[in-house]
Amino acid sequence: MTAPTDAMNPDETLASWRAEEAAVRARLRTAPGVASAAQVAGRSGLQLFQALLAGEIPPPPMAVTLDFTLLRIEPGFAVFQGRPRLTHCNPMGTVHGGWFATLLDSAMGCAVHSTLPAGKAYTTLELKLNLVRALTEAVPLVRAEGRLVHGGRQVATAEGRLVGPDRKLYAHASATCLVFDQAS
Amino acid sequence: MTAPTDAMNPDETLASWRAEEAAVRARLRTAPGVASAAQVAGRSGLQLFQALLAGEIPPPPMAVTLDFTLLRIEPGFAVFQGRPRLTHCNPMGTVHGGWFATLLDSAMGCAVHSTLPAGKAYTTLELKLNLVRALTEAVPLVRAEGRLVHGGRQVATAEGRLVGPDRKLYAHASATCLVFDQAS
Amino acid sequence: MTAPTDAMNPDETLASWRAEEAAVRARLRTAPGVASAAQVAGRSGLQLFQALLAGEIPPPPMAVTLDFTLLRIEPGFAVFQGRPRLTHCNPMGTVHGGWFATLLDSAMGCAVHSTLPAGKAYTTLELKLNLVRALTEAVPLVRAEGRLVHGGRQVATAEGRLVGPDRKLYAHASATCLVFDQAS
Amino acid sequence: MTAPTDAMNPDETLASWRAEEAAVRARLRTAPGVASAAQVAGRSGLQLFQALLAGEIPPPPMAVTLDFTLLRIEPGFAVFQGRPRLTHCNPMGTVHGGWFATLLDSAMGCAVHSTLPAGKAYTTLELKLNLVRALTEAVPLVRAEGRLVHGGRQVATAEGRLVGPDRKLYAHASATCLVFDQAS
């Protein structure tokens, strides 16, 4: 889905993904945290994510715990990147479905959030994941791409894909979000 | 769903949940790991989980990373317990949907796995989560209970519930698993 | 799930299901229709379904088209019954997944609706179905039972089961509904 | 998704959709039926649908019951078209979620089936639907487009969209199918 990589071979894509992540991580804060009410106030969803990417707002705790990061945000589109590690594995030695779910939930939720004006918030009502291929540490990086499908006044839906540098699909997902006025 | 707790008040339930976890953790290995082929061979699903609870097989890495544990296993029924922490939170300061998904995926997968004879394995094809209530660190413990719904020769389904000590429901879920012969 | 049938054998259950349906259909209007605003106004969800069962409100068109009926309604619980026919089949000669979906959507939606006071309406945001067994005309009747799982101010969820007279499970499902103020 | 319509206005699209359906229906058999074993034997999924479109195999009963038809089939892609009618409505006078589910289940199942060689069959294990907009008789025609997402040896997944002539989205969906050897 990310245009520049389509003509690249997997090694080139991997190198480009690593470079993009390094550039992003150079600006991110290192200590995780939760956005304060003051940081959220007056910012649209897109502005919040831009503040996160600019290092003004800390990365969320779960992203640090499970070693993944927001990479790119556009209205209705979000890309997260993560590194499958042994620490994310289930008893069979493959990456736990919960790790897939975490990245895809983030990507779809942010795709929705990125379309909301200041004063609006959202919560994910439901999430469905299709796990189509096992993932192991042998895959050096994966991307979760989330895309808004329907953006309504009260309800928004999104879809997501989890892919490797060779564009192999590991999982796809959909989600329903409730949009509401932020408590002020 | 767990009979002994139904007549208890939330504080008693919490104390009983803590005691049950302490008893389980006293026997668990501390270092996480992946089950070896030799450990899996000849063991039914139920026997594998019993070996894990007996400390013969290490707890899976993801359970250590996200601080939750298998607590109880019966044929077609599994209980996991976890503690919501700040490290599991999203930018809004509530527990990330991926943490819910991880516990419920574990509970439903183990409910299915617990019904499989030696030589059979499974993989989760899809997982759907309904997130019905926000979860924060203020909730000291939650349980994910997974239950087999349909156990077929090739396909099994399960449902799950994530509840607090006051039996408040935080999420419910369903999953589809593919059952196959283990490579030998 | 329906207590009185649990001790019966399948033939007795089938006879009891037929008798219950005959008693219900004796009171139902025969011509399908849509509830008018005047019929809806001032009635809770439960009262609406009771009016339908009393023949004051016509059965909905889709129920007539696909030959199924509401049988029983309680707060948070609904039972529909239908007869699998050749007219509901896909090219392979088994009942189309859409027929399962129709009965289960009705059962889950009504389970939610039955808990809403007058002046509140709902819409189904999403629906997930697990189809666990093929269904053919050889099964004389099936029941779709819907049950409220979470009833919130704005969002409600429900689960459903589609079973035969021998309590064989054909499908299970979950749904998310949005609850809102009826336009007046 | 259907390229030729993208540059058209809704009226032109509707006219083109009607023309395409009329051309398809001119070749379809009128009496519904189930494909016989002899008709299925030796035919790939794609060839089966081509035989249906050529009038050699009858349209499936459910398509006649709910007034929709296969329109176009390519490997991994299927288009169905249907007319929302009062007979498809729920008590509120909008099209029943089960009608959406029927068209989308058909579209996704056929997208999967169209990729299977002779001797292989499939069954839908699960189906998830997001209903994003109410549909009434005022919309003269809708299309359900199904697309293969993952085609594995044993498991395939697909996604679907239900759209109107103005490309308004009414629902989107995903499904998991089990692929197996046809009993011979």
Side-chain angles (χ1 to χ4, degrees):
Chain A
M1 294 183 182
T2 23
T5 69
D6 283 349
M8 297 180 187
N9 67 39
D11 286 346
E12 289 169 331
T13 301
L14 179 58
S16 126
W17 284 14
R18 283 186 167 137
E20 190 174 348
E21 182 170 339
V24 164
R25 285 195 184 271
R27 293 185 304 268
L28 285 187
R29 286 213 208 165
T30 49
V34 163
S36 69
Q39 286 169 329
V40 171
R43 276 187 165 120
S44 70
L46 195 64
Q47 289 168 332
L48 260 177
F49 294 119
Q50 287 164 341
L52 189 152
L53 289 174
E56 294 163 40
I57 290 177
M62 188 66 157
V64 175
T65 303
L66 290 183
D67 195 19
F68 68 96
T69 183
L70 173 65
L71 215 59
R72 203 185 302 170
I73 187 82
E74 297 166 26
F77 182 62
V79 182
F80 282 77
Q81 188 161 295
R83 184 174 150 196
R85 290 176 183 276
L86 185 58
T87 49
H88 310 143
C89 283
N90 59 34
M92 289 91 91
T94 55
V95 170
H96 197 289
W99 194 76
F100 288 76
T102 304
L103 271 74
L104 283 163
D105 184 24
S106 286
M108 294 188 293
C110 290
V112 167
H113 197 173
S114 69
T115 63
L116 302 182
K120 289 280 179 186
Y122 82 98
T123 188
T124 300
L125 298 180
E126 65 81 28
L127 175 67
K128 187 217 165 184
L129 234 84
N130 274 93
L131 304 162
V132 302
R133 217 178 239 114
L135 183 62
T136 69
E137 280 188 290
V139 178
L141 277 181
V142 292
R143 282 193 168 185
E145 301 172 338
R147 207 175 281 278
L148 184 82
V149 175
H150 171 78
R153 203 175 45 85
Q154 268 195 99
V155 176
T157 66
E159 286 180 346
R161 295 272 187 278
L162 193 86
V163 295
D166 51 3
R167 303 304 299 173
K168 231 180 225 172
L169 183 71
Y170 291 93
H172 54 105
S174 64
T176 307
C177 298
L178 184 70
V179 175
F180 53 90
D181 291 327
Q182 215 145 32
S184 56
Chain B
M1 295 183 183
T2 22
T5 68
D6 283 350
M8 297 180 187
N9 66 40
D11 287 345
E12 289 169 331
T13 300
L14 179 59
S16 127
W17 284 14
R18 283 187 166 137
E20 190 175 349
E21 182 170 339
V24 163
R25 286 197 183 270
R27 293 186 306 268
L28 284 188
R29 286 212 208 166
T30 49
V34 164
S36 69
Q39 285 169 329
V40 172
R43 275 187 165 118
S44 70
L46 196 62
Q47 289 168 332
L48 260 176
F49 294 119
Q50 288 165 340
L52 188 151
L53 289 174
E56 295 163 39
I57 289 178
M62 188 65 157
V64 175
T65 303
L66 290 184
D67 195 21
F68 67 96
T69 182
L70 173 66
L71 215 59
R72 202 184 304 169
I73 186 84
E74 296 167 26
F77 182 62
V79 182
F80 282 77
Q81 189 160 294
R83 184 174 150 199
R85 290 176 184 276
L86 185 59
T87 50
H88 309 143
C89 284
N90 58 34
M92 288 92 90
T94 55
V95 170
H96 197 288
W99 194 78
F100 288 77
T102 303
L103 270 76
L104 284 163
D105 184 26
S106 286
M108 294 189 292
C110 290
V112 167
H113 197 173
S114 69
T115 63
L116 302 182
K120 289 280 179 189
Y122 83 99
T123 188
T124 300
L125 297 181
E126 66 81 28
L127 175 67
K128 187 217 163 184
L129 234 84
N130 273 94
L131 304 162
V132 302
R133 216 177 238 112
L135 182 62
T136 68
E137 280 187 290
V139 178
L141 278 180
V142 293
R143 282 193 168 184
E145 303 173 337
R147 207 175 283 277
L148 184 81
V149 175
H150 171 77
R153 203 174 45 84
Q154 269 195 96
V155 176
T157 66
E159 287 180 347
R161 294 273 187 278
L162 193 87
V163 295
D166 51 3
R167 304 304 298 172
K168 230 180 229 172
L169 183 71
Y170 291 93
H172 55 104
S174 64
T176 306
C177 297
L178 183 71
V179 175
F180 52 90
D181 293 325
Q182 214 145 33
S184 57
Chain C
M1 293 182 182
T2 21
T5 69
D6 283 349
M8 297 180 186
N9 66 38
D11 287 346
E12 289 169 330
T13 301
L14 179 59
S16 126
W17 284 15
R18 282 185 167 140
E20 191 174 350
E21 183 171 337
V24 164
R25 285 196 184 270
R27 292 185 306 268
L28 284 188
R29 284 213 209 165
T30 49
V34 164
S36 68
Q39 287 168 329
V40 171
R43 275 187 166 119
S44 70
L46 196 63
Q47 289 168 332
L48 261 177
F49 293 119
Q50 287 164 341
L52 189 151
L53 290 174
E56 295 162 38
I57 289 178
M62 188 65 158
V64 175
T65 303
L66 290 183
D67 195 20
F68 67 96
T69 182
L70 173 66
L71 214 60
R72 202 184 303 170
I73 187 81
E74 297 166 26
F77 181 62
V79 182
F80 282 77
Q81 189 160 294
R83 184 173 151 199
R85 291 177 184 275
L86 185 59
T87 49
H88 310 143
C89 284
N90 59 33
M92 288 91 90
T94 54
V95 170
H96 197 288
W99 194 77
F100 289 75
T102 303
L103 270 75
L104 284 162
D105 184 25
S106 285
M108 294 188 292
C110 290
V112 166
H113 196 172
S114 69
T115 64
L116 301 182
K120 288 280 180 187
Y122 82 100
T123 187
T124 300
L125 297 180
E126 65 81 29
L127 175 68
K128 187 216 164 184
L129 236 85
N130 274 94
L131 304 162
V132 302
R133 216 176 240 114
L135 182 62
T136 68
E137 279 187 290
V139 178
L141 278 180
V142 293
R143 281 192 171 188
E145 302 172 338
R147 206 174 282 279
L148 184 81
V149 175
H150 171 78
R153 202 174 45 84
Q154 268 196 95
V155 177
T157 67
E159 286 180 348
R161 294 272 187 280
L162 193 86
V163 296
D166 51 4
R167 303 305 297 171
K168 232 180 227 172
L169 183 70
Y170 291 92
H172 54 104
S174 64
T176 307
C177 297
L178 184 70
V179 175
F180 53 90
D181 292 326
Q182 215 145 32
S184 55
Chain D
M1 294 183 181
T2 22
T5 69
D6 282 349
M8 297 179 186
N9 67 39
D11 286 345
E12 289 168 332
T13 301
L14 179 59
S16 126
W17 284 14
R18 283 186 166 139
E20 190 175 348
E21 183 171 336
V24 164
R25 285 196 184 270
R27 291 186 305 268
L28 284 188
R29 285 212 208 166
T30 49
V34 163
S36 69
Q39 286 169 329
V40 172
R43 275 188 167 118
S44 69
L46 196 63
Q47 289 168 333
L48 261 175
F49 293 119
Q50 287 164 341
L52 190 151
L53 289 174
E56 294 163 39
I57 289 178
M62 188 65 157
V64 175
T65 303
L66 290 183
D67 195 20
F68 68 96
T69 182
L70 173 65
L71 214 59
R72 203 185 303 171
I73 187 82
E74 296 166 26
F77 181 62
V79 182
F80 283 76
Q81 189 160 294
R83 185 174 150 198
R85 290 176 183 275
L86 185 60
T87 51
H88 309 142
C89 283
N90 58 34
M92 288 91 90
T94 55
V95 170
H96 197 288
W99 194 77
F100 288 77
T102 303
L103 270 75
L104 284 163
D105 185 24
S106 286
M108 294 189 292
C110 290
V112 167
H113 196 174
S114 69
T115 63
L116 302 182
K120 289 281 179 187
Y122 83 98
T123 188
T124 300
L125 298 180
E126 65 81 29
L127 175 68
K128 186 216 164 183
L129 233 85
N130 274 92
L131 304 162
V132 302
R133 215 177 239 115
L135 183 62
T136 68
E137 280 188 291
V139 179
L141 278 181
V142 292
R143 282 192 168 187
E145 302 173 336
R147 207 175 282 277
L148 185 82
V149 175
H150 171 77
R153 203 174 45 84
Q154 268 195 97
V155 176
T157 67
E159 286 179 348
R161 294 273 186 279
L162 193 86
V163 295
D166 51 3
R167 304 305 296 172
K168 232 181 227 172
L169 184 70
Y170 291 93
H172 54 104
S174 65
T176 307
C177 298
L178 184 70
V179 175
F180 53 89
D181 292 326
Q182 215 145 34
S184 56

